[in-house]
Amino acid sequence: MMQRLVDNFLAVTKESVKTITYESLSNILRLINGISALLLSILPGKANILEGIQGWELRPKVRGPRLPRWMENGVSSFNHFVHELSVDFDTISSSVEHSAEDDTDDYDDACICPASPLTPNKLFSRATSFAKRERKRRHWFISIVMFLLIPARLMFGISFYFCKRIFNRGVRAHTTNHRPVSSANAPKKGLDHVVQRATDRRRGIIEDLHLGIEIVIETIFDVIHHATRCILSPLESLRMLLRWSSSSSSSTRKIDSDDTDAIVPTATLADSDPTPTQKKTNLSSSLNTDARTCRDVITELGYPYEAIKVVTSDGYVLVLERIPRRDSKKAVYLQHGVFDSSMCWVSNGIVGSPAFAAYDHGYDVYLGNFRGLVSREHVNKKLSSRQYWRYSINEHGTQDIPALIEKIHEVKTLELKSSSQLNTNEQSNTDQPYKLCAICHSLGGAAILMYIITRRVENKPHRLSRSIMLSPAGFHHDSPFFFTVSEYLCLWLAPILNPIFPGLYIPTRFFRMLVNKLARDLQNYPAVGGLVQTIMSYVVGGDSSNWVGVMGLPHYNMNDMPGVSFGVARHLAQIKRAKRFIMFDYGSRAANMKVYGSPEPMDLGARYNLIDVPIDLVAGMKDKVIFPSMIMHHYRLMKNGGVNASYKQFEYAHLDFTFSHREELLAYVMSRLLLVNSRHKMLKLKRKDEILSIIK
């Protein structure tokens, strides 16, 4: 009786503490969200900055923590406790006979799925009141006897504990290399975790805090509960201790406590043999962050995927990702901008992503990745971080893109020849057997222009048939105040900042995890997210891009994250100061003479006349990072140089070109992309007419 009262008191107290703690934290968060909404309402220009961004309603999306393991089948511990009050579990071990077989089935169902407090149960009471009184008397007598045996219990318990630890240590030494999971509970545990990860890819910091507090409270009260049980029911505790110590002898079947890999039976519908197989699943990612890669996004949507490692001439290892159409004679190369990766071209899914749209139009799709990931892949494994980040835009345009495009040329030529799709005229012709178009954004546009011009200067082929440039970098003398301040900092403090900050990135997994989770919280609390969005927009001159939404994309995760070198920032500052699209200035006439053959860095804008492919320039009227006037400056110089260039502008911000679903933009890009194929057909017809005229 005393044990029952103590258990009831602890259960009620535990749930009360959890409720008070949870509600207090929720009220604090609502207060923060409300203050943010107040500040957001008085900030000027809020309507223009947040225009077009969905989901910033001032209604917090407060979600409680996920159900932990001690919440079985959606029934909380408090509900389970109330349910125990209505069901006498002591009748389970009683000797009362049940004649009806269906009662046993009902009992089994009740054990598997406990009823809620409002649900009547058939097992309310099956024993007589006399039998209950007899059991209570025996319980009190045994409890008094076991209370007197507490010293002996403690002595035996400590001895069994140390014996168990020594025995387990010996078992682990023998089972380090081979640890099969033969326990029936291990696969179920692993499968539950996999389902949890699949249904909720990422939790925020607040959700983790809720869950952590609840687990701590549960742990504390669980310890108190066991302590009181040991004091009030010493005989039962000794029996459990003996049973626990005897079962520990079979610990060879358990997984090592610091290794959370389990074998989970899985099956794939696409397999020819859908028989469940053993798949090793990592269960250690309890932080619950979305760490999907570009490969994960592509394959989850049912598209083919291929990754190609490319090594530049200076030893950097790049990843060229591909959605392959090996028999296609038209290919497209997509290049991202600063602080970005190939994920931007597939982040909008099947409907709004340029990569999937190009593939559906019959293109062989290649996604390029610049150097500058936190993983810092290089052939020299001993390369220091300071040496790795020692590059500028020059290396993007003269090292990265040439290596990536030459790899595309090598792969496509080999595949088309092996598939016997080249006729004798095309094989004997010096022209490449496919057409390659480039789609680039921001810094990727500046690097593509540098690539085309430098290849023409060196009399080398650039392989491109057309280039579509979405808000390309290259001219920045008309820019917001923040970029002017950054220009002076990068140029004046370069000798100090370069050794301290060789690369602008988040170096540790912990802080990358916080950034990834913080993005989830900013979406759950829209007023706070809107305030951050507004402040960020002020910093970049009023650009209305969804900066908070972009921060929550999978490629900004704890495992890896794109960064940028200080040399790239310094190069952009030099371009802004010079008001020309120039290559990197090494700081002295002798250094420039060694690299360029002239005391000044090469002016790329003055050599736009070397561009021999059509260029489509696209500007954003709401783009405050690269103003439309700077895109128009590109266009005028190209027209003056005789380049076949076009200009188009949309009511978009800077990140809307890649991270937002814009149907009219996608339709325009695809229409310009299809001009490559139609122009190729026109050239073929013209060549046939010339041949026929010669024959006649």
Side-chain angles (χ1 to χ4, degrees), residues 23 44 47 93 146 159 212 315 402 427 490 651:
E23 291 299 328
S93 58
M146 297 312 302
S159 302
Q427 289 181 0
C490 290
E651 292 290 328

Side-chain angles (χ1 to χ4, degrees), residues 436-442 444-453 456 462-473 475 581 604 607-619 630-639 641-648 668-669 671-673 675-676 679:
L436 178 63
C437 179
I439 301 177
C440 46
H441 175 242
S442 191
I448 287 288
L449 289 172
M450 182 182 296
Y451 164 72
I452 295 174
I453 294 173
R456 289 297 311 278
H462 56 69
R463 314 293 183 189
L464 297 178
S465 301
R466 193 180 196 93
S467 181
I468 303 170
M469 301 190 173
L470 310 176
S471 189
F475 293 101
F581 184 15
L604 299 173
R607 290 174 171 80
Y608 274 0
N609 60 306
L610 298 177
I611 300 176
D612 58 348
V613 294
I615 303 292
D616 299 300
L617 299 169
V618 184
M630 298 293 92
I631 311 301
M632 181 59 70
H633 192 63
H634 279 289
Y635 178 71
R636 292 196 188 98
L637 290 178
M638 289 181 183
K639 279 299 183 180
V643 181
N644 181 11
S646 67
Y647 178 85
K648 182 74 174 180
Y668 175 76
V669 171
S671 66
R672 308 310 292 181
L673 188 63
L675 290 177
V676 178
R679 182 172 177 270

Side-chain angles (χ1 to χ4, degrees), residues 139-371:
H139 178 74
W140 274 104
F141 177 75
I142 294 173
S143 298
I144 293 173
V145 172
M146 297 312 302
F147 181 77
L148 299 176
L149 297 177
I150 287 179
R153 272 189 72 188
L154 292 176
M155 182 179 65
F156 281 107
I158 294 174
S159 302
F160 276 119
Y161 174 76
F162 282 106
C163 291
K164 175 180 176 296
R165 293 299 298 266
I166 295 172
F167 180 79
N168 284 344
R169 184 174 301 177
V171 170
R172 290 170 186 170
H174 290 287
T175 59
T176 303
N177 298 327
H178 182 67
R179 295 186 297 265
V181 182
S182 58
S183 176
N185 294 329
K188 184 179 184 301
K189 174 183 175 182
L191 187 58
D192 290 342
H193 190 90
V194 171
V195 172
Q196 176 179 343
R197 289 184 60 195
T199 53
D200 189 6
R201 293 185 181 275
R202 187 178 72 247
R203 289 193 303 261
I205 297 176
I206 303 302
E207 292 170 300
D208 279 340
L209 184 60
H210 281 156
L211 183 59
I213 291 175
E214 194 157 356
I215 291 176
V216 169
I217 294 174
E218 279 286 334
T219 304
I220 293 174
F221 276 90
D222 190 51
V223 172
I224 296 175
H225 177 265
H226 284 295
T228 56
R229 183 174 290 274
C230 290
I231 296 174
L232 298 177
S233 302
L235 182 60
E236 183 182 353
S237 301
L238 181 60
R239 190 183 302 115
M240 292 178 59
L241 181 62
L242 292 173
R243 187 165 53 247
W244 173 56
S245 61
S246 63
S247 63
S248 64
S249 61
S250 59
S251 61
T252 55
R253 297 176 298 173
K254 295 182 179 181
I255 304 176
D256 208 7
S257 59
D258 53 359
D259 187 2
T260 56
D261 287 347
I263 304 299
V264 181
T266 60
T268 304
L269 293 178
D271 293 342
S272 57
D273 183 13
T275 305
T277 57
Q278 297 292 312
K279 179 180 179 181
K280 193 171 184 179
T281 305
N282 186 11
L283 307 180
S284 61
S285 56
S286 58
L287 295 175
N288 195 254
T289 59
D290 190 355
R292 287 177 297 165
T293 61
C294 187
R295 172 179 183 170
D296 297 328
V297 174
I298 293 173
T299 55
E300 284 175 1
L301 295 175
Y303 286 82
Y305 175 85
E306 182 181 346
I308 305 172
K309 292 287 187 177
V310 179
V311 180
T312 64
S313 59
D314 53 353
Y316 285 78
V317 180
L318 311 178
V319 179
L320 178 63
E321 297 176 285
R322 182 187 186 191
I323 310 177
R325 279 190 186 272
R326 293 178 173 81
D327 57 345
S328 177
K329 294 184 180 180
K330 49 184 183 180
V332 59
Y333 168 75
L334 297 100
Q335 183 56 59
H336 63 80
V338 68
F339 280 117
D340 206 352
S341 72
S342 57
M343 180 69 77
C344 67
W345 304 112
V346 298
S347 59
N348 289 317
I350 297 176
V351 178
S353 300
F356 297 131
Y359 180 85
D360 293 338
H361 279 82
Y363 280 81
D364 191 2
V365 180
Y366 292 86
L367 310 174
N369 288 279
F370 281 146
R371 64 184 70 187

Side-chain angles (χ1 to χ4, degrees), residues 656-674:
D656 293 342
F657 290 106
T658 53
F659 293 110
S660 297
H661 179 202
R662 305 290 183 174
E663 293 183 2
E664 56 179 351
L665 173 65
L666 189 59
Y668 175 76
V669 171
M670 289 300 105
S671 66
R672 308 310 292 181
L673 188 63
L674 294 175

Side-chain angles (χ1 to χ4, degrees), residues 17-51:
V17 171
K18 289 196 297 186
T19 302
I20 293 173
T21 305
Y22 179 78
E23 291 299 328
S24 300
L25 181 60
S26 298
N27 289 333
I28 294 174
L29 295 173
R30 291 190 187 99
L31 177 62
I32 295 174
N33 196 67
I35 295 175
S36 301
L38 179 63
L39 294 176
L40 190 63
S41 63
I42 63 178
L43 288 176
K46 181 224 11 151
N48 295 330
I49 291 175
L50 298 181
E51 182 180 356

Side-chain angles (χ1 to χ4, degrees), residues 451-639:
Y451 164 72
I452 295 174
I453 294 173
T454 54
R455 299 291 282 192
R456 289 297 311 278
V457 170
E458 298 171 357
N459 292 322
K460 296 180 180 179
H462 56 69
R463 314 293 183 189
L464 297 178
S465 301
R466 193 180 196 93
S467 181
I468 303 170
M469 301 190 173
L470 310 176
S471 189
F475 293 101
H476 303 278
H477 48 275
D478 186 8
S479 60
F481 175 75
F482 171 76
F483 291 101
T484 302
V485 174
S486 301
E487 169 197 345
Y488 287 104
L489 289 177
C490 290
L491 295 180
W492 290 353
L493 302 179
I496 300 175
L497 296 178
N498 194 17
I500 301 175
F501 304 104
L504 307 177
Y505 63 98
I506 302 177
T508 63
R509 288 170 54 88
F510 175 75
F511 287 106
R512 291 198 296 270
M513 176 201 68
L514 290 183
V515 170
N516 187 264
K517 287 179 171 292
L518 181 61
R520 176 64 177 265
D521 291 324
L522 295 179
Q523 293 172 5
N524 290 341
Y525 296 88
V528 181
L531 182 62
V532 174
Q533 170 73 26
T534 305
I535 295 175
M536 184 66 188
S537 301
Y538 287 154
V539 170
V540 294
D543 187 89
S544 60
S545 300
N546 190 356
W547 302 96
V548 173
V550 170
M551 188 173 62
L553 289 176
H555 61 323
Y556 294 101
N557 58 67
M558 63 182 296
N559 296 323
D560 209 349
M561 186 175 290
V564 64
S565 73
F566 182 79
V568 171
R570 185 180 176 187
H571 193 173
L572 291 172
Q574 292 176 358
I575 291 174
K576 178 175 170 55
R577 171 66 63 87
K579 298 183 180 181
R580 294 176 297 148
F581 184 15
I582 60 174
M583 299 190 74
F584 186 74
D585 189 349
Y586 289 92
S588 66
R589 297 172 61 91
N592 290 332
M593 182 67 69
K594 182 179 180 180
V595 177
Y596 306 115
S598 63
E600 297 293 332
M602 182 186 299
D603 187 350
L604 299 173
R607 290 174 171 80
Y608 274 0
N609 60 306
L610 298 177
I611 300 176
D612 58 348
V613 294
I615 303 292
D616 299 300
L617 299 169
V618 184
M621 298 302 294
K622 296 181 180 179
D623 191 342
K624 303 302 180 182
V625 177
I626 302 178
F627 288 168
S629 59
M630 298 293 92
I631 311 301
M632 181 59 70
H633 192 63
H634 279 289
Y635 178 71
R636 292 196 188 98
L637 290 178
M638 289 181 183
K639 279 299 183 180

